């Protein structure tokens, strides 16, 4: 996703958890690091403030290339926009749209604010507190709130329930149910590895079947990147991108959103045993040449064209012009290739 950042250029976000600022000529000015997951949305606000939304369930506000504020959300932030009043509008994975404003008179109160706080606490509690350490709902009468509206989660036989403290009646009012994550797996499993998933130990190795009776292995660690794993799986199995969302939901349902063990040492050990990394392939950066001998490839292409007759007369003009530019070594720094020549080249 991109967002205009006049008069400097534009802002981009990507799956490397970075927000990047570019000139209109395509030169990167700065990388903004701070998110811990894929960044799905960027948007520019007045006063040159950049807003970014991520899979780490946060929106970060950036000014002068530094993060000046982080807003927590109950789920992944998919998109960000603003209205004419300058309010920040976020669309999230939980099918809700949240609006944030700098105007205190617009602040939410009552059930709307409580619902948001309950959802936030449910996520944080699920990640930081073991279900076994929470008080049972049978003991609710033994606990008194410290202030009106205080939120507390009590465990039940099937998960957890969220309550708010009613100071006027001196009692806890149930607000909703909390879906707690499953316990960490007791057995670590070993995966032999493939072209996209590294060999090593994983918290889960799921069997995935899409109706054809074939079981496909999907290795995954608690606290891992859902989107990355789903994309890799679909690429490996030649599945369409339409399957990614259902795979992400499956991973979120059947794994924990936080790491349950240190996998760093295991990854380093696997890398040390792996074959030496090729220094030249695959190419991840542009490779620049000071000069190119263009006559030989041109001659070979023309020979093929004599047999195939695939280049039309108009395209041949663009073809000859393209190779004239490539062969003009003296003017490499100022040469330009236009769309017509590029289309023929493709």
């Amino acid at each position: 996703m991109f967002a205009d950042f006049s008069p400097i250029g534009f802002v981009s976000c990507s799956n490397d958890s970075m927000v990047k600022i570019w000139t209109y000529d395509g030169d990167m000015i700065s990388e903004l690091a701070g998110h811990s997951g894929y960044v799905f949305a960027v948007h520019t606000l007045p006063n040159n403030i950049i807003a970014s939304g991520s899979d780490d369930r946060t929106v970060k506000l950036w000014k002068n290339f530094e993060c000046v504020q982080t807003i927590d959300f109950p789920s992944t932030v998919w998109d960000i926009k603003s209205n004419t009043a300058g309010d920040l509008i976020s669309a999230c994975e939980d099918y809700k749209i949240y609006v944030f404003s700098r105007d205190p008179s617009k602040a939410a109160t009552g059930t709307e604010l409580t619902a948001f706080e309950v959802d936030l606490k449910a996520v944080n509690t699920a990640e930081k507190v073991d279900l076994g350490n929470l008080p049972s709902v049978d003991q609710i009468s033994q606990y008194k709130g410290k202030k009106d509206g205080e939120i507390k989660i009590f465990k039940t036989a099937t998960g957890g329930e969220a309550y708010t403290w009613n100071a006027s009646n001196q009692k806890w009012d149930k607000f909703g149910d909390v879906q707690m994550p499953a316990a960490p797996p007791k057995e670590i499993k070993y995966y032999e590895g493939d072209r996209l998933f590294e060999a090593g130990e994983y918290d889960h190795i799921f069997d995935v079947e899409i109706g054809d009776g074939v079981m496909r292995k999907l290795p995954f660690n608690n606290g891992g990147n859902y989107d990355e794993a789903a994309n890799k799986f679909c690429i490996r199995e030649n599945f369409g991108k339409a399957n990614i969302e259902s795979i992400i939901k499956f991973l979120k349902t059947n794994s924990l959103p936080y790491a349950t063990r240190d996998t760093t040492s295991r990854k380093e050990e696997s890398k040390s045993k792996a074959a030496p990394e090729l220094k030249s392939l695959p190419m991840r950066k542009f490779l620049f040449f000071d000069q190119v001998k263009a006559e030989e490839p041109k001659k070979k292409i023309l020979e093929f064209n004599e047999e195939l007759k695939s280049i039309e007369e108009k395209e041949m003009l663009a073809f000859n012009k393209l190779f004239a530019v490539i062969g003009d070594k003296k003017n490499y720094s100022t040469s330009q290739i236009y769309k017509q020549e590029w289309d023929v080249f493709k």
Side-chain angles (χ1 to χ4, degrees):
M1 180 176 285
F2 301 91
D4 187 53
F5 194 50
S6 300
I8 296 175
F10 61 93
V11 186
S12 70
C13 60
S14 50
N15 290 350
D16 59 2
S17 76
M18 305 296 288
V19 176
K20 300 174 184 178
I21 302 174
W22 309 77
T23 67
Y24 289 121
D25 293 327
D27 298 319
M28 190 175 69
I29 300 173
S30 180
E31 285 187 324
L32 309 181
H35 284 292
S36 59
Y38 286 12
V39 185
F40 292 120
V42 285
H43 185 70
T44 51
L45 300 169
N47 301 322
N48 287 331
I49 294 177
I50 299 170
S52 57
S54 170
D55 193 36
D56 63 10
R57 303 193 306 275
T58 67
V59 165
K60 291 186 180 292
L61 302 182
W62 311 82
K63 188 170 185 180
N64 297 327
F65 308 137
E66 293 184 357
C67 181
V68 295
Q69 186 177 359
T70 298
I71 305 173
D72 293 316
F73 286 80
S75 62
T76 297
V77 180
W78 287 116
D79 201 2
I80 305 172
K81 290 292 184 285
S82 60
N83 57 23
T84 54
D87 299 331
L88 185 71
I89 304 171
S90 301
C92 295
E93 185 187 16
D94 57 6
Y95 304 102
K96 295 179 181 178
I97 295 176
Y98 300 92
V99 182
F100 288 82
S101 176
R102 295 186 182 277
D103 184 352
S105 65
K106 296 182 179 180
T109 57
T111 57
E112 289 184 347
L113 182 60
T114 303
F116 181 72
E117 291 176 345
V118 165
D119 289 343
L120 272 182
K121 184 159 186 176
V123 172
N124 293 331
T125 301
E127 293 189 0
K128 297 178 182 179
V129 180
D130 185 357
L131 181 63
N133 293 330
L134 293 176
S136 170
V137 71
D138 297 332
Q139 302 171 314
I140 194 170
S141 59
Q142 301 176 20
Y143 294 84
K144 286 189 177 182
K146 296 179 181 179
K147 62 178 182 179
D148 190 51
E150 179 186 349
I151 301 168
K152 194 171 185 65
I153 296 175
F154 295 88
K155 68 178 179 182
T156 65
T158 57
E161 292 178 345
Y163 289 80
T164 59
W165 179 247
N166 186 328
S168 59
N169 296 324
Q170 288 292 293
K171 69 182 186 70
W172 292 100
D173 293 331
K174 181 180 176 180
F175 190 84
D177 295 318
V178 178
Q179 183 64 45
M180 305 298 289
K186 296 180 180 179
E187 181 183 355
I188 304 302
K189 302 177 181 179
Y190 185 81
Y191 185 67
E192 294 181 354
D194 55 53
R195 64 188 179 93
L196 291 175
F197 293 94
E198 292 183 3
E201 295 179 345
Y202 287 84
D203 295 323
H204 309 274
I205 299 180
F206 297 112
D207 288 318
V208 181
E209 193 264 334
I210 61 168
D212 57 2
V214 179
M215 288 296 180
R216 299 165 174 86
K217 300 295 183 183
L218 173 55
F220 191 73
N221 281 320
N222 291 324
N225 192 308
Y226 303 115
D227 196 73
E228 180 181 10
N231 273 278
K232 283 183 176 180
F233 182 77
C234 288
I235 291 172
R236 190 191 69 189
E237 302 298 335
N238 293 319
F239 291 162
K241 289 189 175 181
N243 296 288
I244 290 178
E245 185 176 350
S246 61
I247 295 172
I248 290 175
K249 288 182 178 179
F250 172 83
L251 292 174
K252 287 186 175 182
T253 303
N254 294 279
S255 67
L256 292 170
Y258 55 93
T260 53
R261 62 192 178 91
D262 183 11
T263 59
T264 306
S265 59
R266 292 293 182 182
K267 286 183 179 179
E268 293 300 323
E269 184 180 340
S270 297
K271 286 182 180 179
S272 64
K273 294 179 180 179
E277 183 179 354
L278 295 175
K279 294 183 178 180
S280 300
L281 296 173
M283 290 298 300
R284 301 186 185 279
K285 296 182 179 179
F286 289 112
L287 184 61
F288 295 93
F289 296 91
D290 293 330
Q291 60 182 17
V292 175
K293 294 181 179 179
E295 289 305 315
E296 287 302 317
K298 178 182 178 182
K299 181 180 177 181
K300 184 59 68 174
I301 292 173
L302 290 175
E303 288 178 4
F304 282 122
N305 189 57
E306 282 296 322
E307 298 178 10
L308 302 175
K309 304 296 183 183
S310 59
I311 302 179
E312 298 178 357
E313 185 177 350
K314 290 183 179 180
E315 293 176 328
M316 186 59 71
L317 294 174
F319 173 83
N320 289 328
K321 188 174 181 181
L322 171 64
F323 272 90
V325 172
I326 295 174
D328 188 9
K329 305 168 187 176
K330 295 180 181 180
N331 296 311
Y332 272 3
S333 59
T334 57
S335 298
Q336 290 185 339
I337 296 176
Y338 295 94
K339 185 178 184 301
Q340 295 88 338
E341 294 108 47
W342 176 242
D343 288 341
V344 174
F345 179 76
K346 290 193 293 182

